[in-house]
Amino acid sequence: MTNIRQMLEEREHQMLSPYATFSDASKGRKRQEEPCDIRPVFQRDRDRIIHSKSFRRLKDKTQVFLTPEGDHYRTRMTHTLEVSQIARSISKALQLNEDLTEAIALGHDLGHTPFGHAGERALNRVCPEGFRHQEQSVRVTELHEKDGRGLNLTLEVLDGILNHQTSGHPSTLEGAVVRLADKIAYVNHDIDDAIRGRIIREDELPGDLTEILGHSLKERLNTLVHDIVTHSYGKAEIVMSEPVESAMHALRKYMFASVYTNPVAKGQEHKAEQMIEMLYEHYRTHTEYLPEEYLRLAEQKGESLDRVVADYIAGMTDKYAVSRFSDIMIPKAWGVY
């Protein structure tokens, strides 16, 4: 039987840009494995992430708006899928490795906390070692999946996940695409959710920015994706034109001022932060209530108790965190009936 993986790897060299990351040139995994006879390494990573428990939990984690009433607001899962779609569109147009792009995009937020960045801020305050969701995403793939064995992803995927933040410097063009796609997705889709929630109106967006980027979600996404493709095609870097990049950064600043710190949209976040802090202190002082898999991390792998408690809380969905808080902190009625 023909080795399909090798055939696909050869096709990459025929079809992809010389600046793409080729599957057969991967730096490999931390633990060596027998290659699959059907799937190249980055496709295999993509599949592992999709089938992981941490990926499934994203559907019940906050993106921006805490417990919104309505079916159409973004969750961490839908944000992740939107980042993947935008990143794949750019990578396909630039003839980069779509499998690598998609694997990084689908894995970039696996370590995010319940209640979005409010939960991240709370854990960063109370955990002496600090907490950053991009680092946690890597920990999740390496330590928490498959009963502690981890997903054993390729180094290129891990690098892209770790460096998807604004301050990051991905080592591959595919990682650089995801880094930009993440910003494009959350700024524009948060605008869409904020308009749906009547926090802002489309006509309130700064006119000088919408003149450059567009007057609707569709127009802005189209402008940003086309600008990246046009100015990056045939180059060894992922870049935007100065006017469009400046307008996107200015729109992001507008969102921080008008939405991300808006008391209507964010008025409940202090409660979520207090809840996360109290859960952390409870499990830090009552380790007997930690699941066995987290205790093993401390006992067998030498992970600090502070880090293990942060791991446990970060893995919770919004609903599960509320449920655990209720069980721990709220007295239950009792009596003989």
Side-chain angles (χ1 to χ4, degrees), residues 225-243:
V225 169
H226 275 78
D227 188 80
I228 293 170
V229 171
T230 299
H231 291 87
S232 303
Y233 193 85
K235 297 179 181 177
E237 57 181 344
I238 304 300
V239 294
M240 302 174 72
S241 67
E242 195 283 327

Side-chain angles (χ1 to χ4, degrees), residues 115-316:
F115 309 113
H117 289 286
E120 184 173 16
R121 287 193 300 270
L123 278 183
N124 190 46
R125 278 197 301 269
V126 296
C127 181
E129 299 175 23
F131 184 92
R132 287 164 290 278
H133 80 269
Q134 66 270 29
E135 296 175 0
Q136 187 67 18
S137 294
V138 172
R139 281 182 63 82
V140 165
T141 67
E142 293 193 307
L143 293 174
H144 295 291
E145 288 293 335
K146 292 189 175 181
D147 297 321
R149 298 190 305 276
L151 301 180
N152 197 29
L153 302 177
T154 57
L155 298 181
E156 290 85 357
V157 172
L158 292 176
D159 170 82
I161 290 173
L162 183 63
N163 287 288
H164 78 270
Q165 291 290 90
T166 300
S167 59
H169 299 282
S171 65
T172 65
L173 292 192
E174 290 83 1
V177 167
V178 173
R179 179 175 169 272
L180 274 180
D182 184 36
K183 294 171 185 59
I184 291 171
Y186 76 68
V187 170
N188 287 284
H189 295 134
D190 292 351
I191 289 174
D192 191 45
D193 280 353
I195 291 172
R196 179 175 290 108
R198 300 180 181 179
I199 296 166
I200 58 174
R201 300 192 310 270
E202 175 70 39
D203 59 14
E204 291 178 332
L205 297 176
D208 59 328
L209 303 182
T210 56
E211 281 298 314
I212 296 172
L213 298 175
H215 298 279
S216 68
L217 172 65
K218 178 181 177 180
E219 288 183 8
R220 286 187 286 273
L221 291 177
N222 189 61
T223 297
L224 289 160
V225 169
H226 275 78
D227 188 80
I228 293 170
V229 171
T230 299
H231 291 87
S232 303
Y233 193 85
K235 297 179 181 177
E237 57 181 344
I238 304 300
V239 294
M240 302 174 72
S241 67
E242 195 283 327
V244 170
E245 185 174 26
S246 295
M248 186 179 76
H249 290 322
L251 189 59
R252 183 171 177 266
K253 288 182 180 179
Y254 168 82
M255 289 296 289
F256 271 98
S258 302
V259 177
Y260 299 145
T261 56
N262 186 298
V264 175
K266 298 296 193 175
Q268 298 295 309
E269 281 195 349
H270 70 283
K271 296 179 182 178
E273 293 186 34
Q274 290 174 350
M275 184 189 309
I276 294 296
E277 291 175 359
M278 293 174 73
L279 283 172
Y280 180 90
E281 293 303 327
H282 172 79
Y283 287 110
R284 183 65 181 78
T285 54
H286 296 85
T287 56
E288 66 272 20
Y289 294 118
L290 284 171
E292 184 178 340
E293 62 190 278
Y294 291 91
L295 291 173
R296 281 202 303 268
L297 279 177
E299 295 169 358
Q300 298 178 13
K301 296 194 175 183
E303 298 288 329
S304 72
L305 186 58
D306 289 304
R307 178 54 60 199
V308 168
V309 171
D311 284 347
Y312 179 46
I313 295 173
M316 295 179 178

